[in-house]
């Protein structure tokens, strides 16, 4: 057993605890854990900018999602419209109320929260200015709520619902539907852009050179 | 333990080096740090209470999964007639419509994934508690799979929410969520918490100890 001093170029794999020394990873390349193959480091300053821009785009689309109709149902002379907000409120009666809250968190609050936290923490960095206060806190929580932001799962749910209703009525997708689809695609791409190590190292560097 | 990484499975860990690895930002921290100096996350070389939490959430997840399958998920009322459908009833109905792909998606998301997850988490927790020369490859893939797949079980809850929101005002029918929806959501949330409580580094310690 040896005891080493904590150094900044040491990277611990979050999955298996293997210790690595890492130099700067070239743009477009990835460093993986030698033992369990988890991505340890990827991307450079350009990737940071990309993440911030993608997150901003998603956030703008999210406002469309909340305020515009999502699906429209027509059956003879009857039409019904539902927004994402209506979907959240569909459980709001009686004992199901907590479920309404949970669905609201999963498909609106947490995705929006994660995007806002990411922009707060990384926005100033990508423009080369010093980080805003609370950047560390924002970044830590952006990572923590990640499994609970379920926008993409909601989209699959929409597809299933469409099939279930297909022979009952005519369904049309509103602007919110396409915005939501775009957000899902953007988020999936954005999540592949940066690793925790790269983000935290960048934040570290920015804080120390302030 | 030379830590040079030969043979991939015998890497020097932060713990063996007398350091604590931060699971949030991957920094190697000094053993006396309680919070990571870089990101402020609480540090633990190994999470010793992890297995208790895994089992507690696991049990809660299993308990809620039972009523989720017995009670109705959807209550469809057409003029004067109410019809209740359980999760598996919904799958069978979709199959009869001829929507085979969707029926399979719902079946996989609502039955196969939750059950598979219960078994997988229990197996992983037991592998940490009673190491018996498990092979590392399959265990690791199992863990990654469980972490990735758990959220997808939520599909059916969202389907119910969308259906209920849309089919409320037309004369044709009205659809209301049944009690199973909230039980199912609770079961998925508890199982996710169970998987998130798992400290994968302990699994790797066991794999390392068992390796020749």
């Amino acid at each position: 057993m040896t005891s080493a001093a904590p150094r900044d170029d040491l990277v611990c794999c979050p999955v298996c605890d293997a210790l690595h020394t890492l130099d700067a990873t070239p743009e477009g390349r990835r460093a993986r854990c030698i033992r369990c193959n988890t991505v340890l480091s990827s991307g450079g300053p350009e990737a940071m900018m990309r993440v911030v821009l993608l997150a901003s785009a998603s956030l703008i689309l999210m406002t469309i999602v909340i305020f515009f109709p999502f699906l429209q149902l027509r059956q003879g002379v009857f039409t019904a419209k539902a927004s994402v907000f209506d979907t959240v409120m569909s459980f709001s009666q009686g004992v199901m109320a907590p479920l309404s809250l949970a669905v609201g968190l999963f498909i609106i609050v947490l995705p929006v929260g994660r995007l806002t936290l990411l922009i707060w923490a990384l926005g100033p960095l990508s423009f080369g200015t010093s980080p805003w206060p609370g950047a560390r806190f924002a970044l830590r929580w952006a990572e923590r709520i990640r499994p609970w932001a379920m926008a993409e799962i909601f989209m699959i749910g929409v597809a299933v619902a469409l099939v279930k209703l297909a022979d009952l009525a005519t369904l049309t997708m509103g602007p919110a539907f396409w915005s939501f689809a775009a957000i899902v695609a953007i988020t999936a791409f954005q999540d592949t852009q940066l690793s925790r190590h790269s983000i935290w190292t960048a934040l570290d560097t920015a804080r120390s050179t302030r | 333990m030379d830590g040079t990484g030969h043979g991939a499975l015998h890497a020097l860990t932060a713990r063996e080096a007398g350091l604590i690895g931060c699971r949030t930002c991957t920094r190697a921290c000094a053993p006396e740090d309680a919070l990571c100096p870089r990101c402020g996350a609480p540090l633990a070389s190994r999470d010793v209470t992890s297995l208790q939490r895994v089992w507690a959430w696991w049990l809660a997840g299993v308990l809620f999964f039972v009523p989720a399958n017995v009670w109705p998920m959807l209550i469809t009322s057409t003029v004067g007639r109410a019809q209740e459908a359980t999760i598996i009833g919904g799958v069978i109905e979709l199959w009869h419509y001829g929507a085979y792909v969707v029926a399979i998606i719902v079946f996989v998301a609502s039955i196969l994934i939750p059950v598979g997850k219960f078994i997988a988490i229990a197996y992983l927790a037991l592998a940490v508690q009673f190491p018996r020369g498990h092979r590392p490859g399959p265990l690791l893939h199992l863990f990654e799979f469980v972490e990735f797949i758990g959220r997808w079980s939520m599909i059916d809850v969202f389907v119910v929410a969308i259906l209920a929101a849309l089919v409320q005002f037309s004369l044709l029918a009205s659809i209301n969520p049944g009690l199973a929806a909230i039980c199912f959501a609770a079961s998925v949330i508890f199982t996710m918490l169970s998987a998130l409580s798992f400290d994968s580094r302990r699994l790797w310690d066991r794999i390392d100890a068992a390796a020749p």
Side-chain angles (χ1 to χ4, degrees):
Chain A
M1 294 270 174
T2 52
S3 189
R7 294 203 320 258
D8 277 344
D9 61 335
L10 288 177
V11 178
C12 306
C13 173
V15 174
C16 76
D17 208 30
L19 201 57
H20 304 73
T21 48
L22 265 192
D23 302 320
T25 317
E27 174 69 15
R29 301 290 299 271
R30 293 176 164 198
R32 288 177 181 273
C33 173
I34 51 164
R35 185 153 73 153
C36 71
N37 213 29
T38 305
V39 175
L40 293 177
S41 173
S42 68
E46 295 85 358
M48 177 87 65
M49 174 71 96
R50 224 175 295 146
V51 167
V52 172
L53 291 179
L54 290 172
S56 314
S58 302
L59 206 54
I60 293 165
L61 287 170
M62 206 69 190
T63 56
I64 301 180
V65 168
I66 295 169
F67 294 113
F68 284 83
F70 188 74
L71 287 171
Q72 191 175 22
L73 177 145
R74 206 171 63 239
Q75 206 256 329
V77 289
F78 300 104
T79 56
K81 270 184 201 161
S83 65
V84 172
F85 186 72
D86 294 333
T87 311
V88 170
M89 295 310 285
S90 63
F91 293 121
S92 61
Q93 283 148 1
V95 285
M96 308 287 266
L99 190 52
S100 229
L101 188 71
V103 171
L105 284 175
F106 291 153
I107 64 177
I108 302 176
V109 178
L110 292 180
V112 168
R114 194 168 107 83
L115 292 169
T116 314
L117 290 172
L118 269 182
I119 295 172
W120 182 271
L122 302 180
L125 292 191
S126 67
F127 292 102
T129 54
S130 62
W132 285 331
R136 301 193 315 165
F137 178 84
L139 196 51
R140 191 148 48 88
W141 277 93
E143 196 59 41
R144 281 198 80 171
I145 61 182
R146 189 165 165 169
W148 304 98
M150 300 190 185
E152 71 275 29
I153 297 162
F154 180 71
M155 280 314 278
I156 305 289
V158 172
V160 174
L162 289 180
V163 173
K164 281 202 172 191
L165 289 172
D167 58 346
L168 280 179
T170 319
L171 282 159
T172 32
M173 282 81 123
F177 179 87
W178 301 110
S179 308
F180 216 92
I183 291 174
V184 169
I186 291 173
T187 310
F189 177 67
Q190 171 196 303
D191 285 348
T192 65
Q193 291 295 305
L194 268 182
S195 69
R196 297 181 217 187
H197 168 73
S198 323
I199 295 182
W200 282 105
T201 313
L203 191 60
D204 240 10
T205 317
R207 282 163 53 88
S208 57
T209 57
R210 181 162 37 172
Chain B
M1 292 182 190
D2 57 359
T4 47
H6 294 309
L9 287 177
H10 273 301
L12 178 75
T13 61
R15 183 195 184 91
E16 287 157 359
L19 300 168
I20 304 178
C22 174
R23 300 188 77 194
T24 304
C25 72
T26 72
R27 189 184 191 277
C29 306
E32 62 271 14
D33 292 338
L35 295 176
C36 175
R38 175 154 70 185
C39 69
L43 289 173
S45 180
R46 293 295 179 269
D47 188 345
V48 284
T49 61
S50 133
L51 281 180
Q52 296 169 26
R53 279 182 291 134
V54 168
W55 282 118
W57 290 124
W58 183 87
L59 191 65
V62 173
L63 284 180
F64 273 90
F65 191 67
V66 177
N69 278 281
V70 175
W71 288 344
M73 189 85 171
L74 270 183
I75 302 161
T76 316
S77 12
T78 32
V79 199
R81 239 180 88 229
Q83 210 182 351
E84 296 183 341
T86 55
I87 292 177
I88 197 76
V91 173
I92 294 169
E93 201 179 324
L94 278 169
W95 190 268
H96 283 311
Y97 280 156
Y100 302 117
V101 177
V102 180
I104 291 169
I105 291 177
V106 175
F107 180 73
V108 170
S110 315
I111 310 277
L112 272 193
I113 292 178
V115 171
K117 229 183 130 165
F118 291 138
I119 296 171
I121 293 176
Y123 181 76
L124 287 168
L126 289 173
V128 170
Q129 279 170 310
F130 310 101
R132 295 235 170 84
H134 297 279
R135 289 197 298 133
L139 280 186
L140 174 68
H141 292 307
L142 192 62
F143 180 71
E144 279 179 349
F145 185 71
V146 162
E147 263 204 324
F148 171 77
I149 208 74
R151 320 152 63 225
W152 289 91
S153 308
M154 218 47 143
I155 289 179
D156 223 28
V157 176
F158 293 148
V159 172
V160 172
I162 297 159
L163 291 178
L166 263 180
V167 193
Q168 240 168 14
F169 309 107
S170 74
L171 283 184
L172 164 92
S174 82
I175 294 182
N176 286 300
L179 266 182
I182 197 165
C183 297
F184 189 80
S187 174
V188 174
I189 291 170
F190 291 148
T191 323
M192 279 177 72
L193 287 170
S194 174
L196 287 172
S197 308
F198 200 84
D199 188 343
S200 55
R201 298 173 301 187
R202 295 187 66 183
L203 193 60
W204 278 94
D205 291 344
R206 291 303 199 190
I207 290 168
D208 251 8

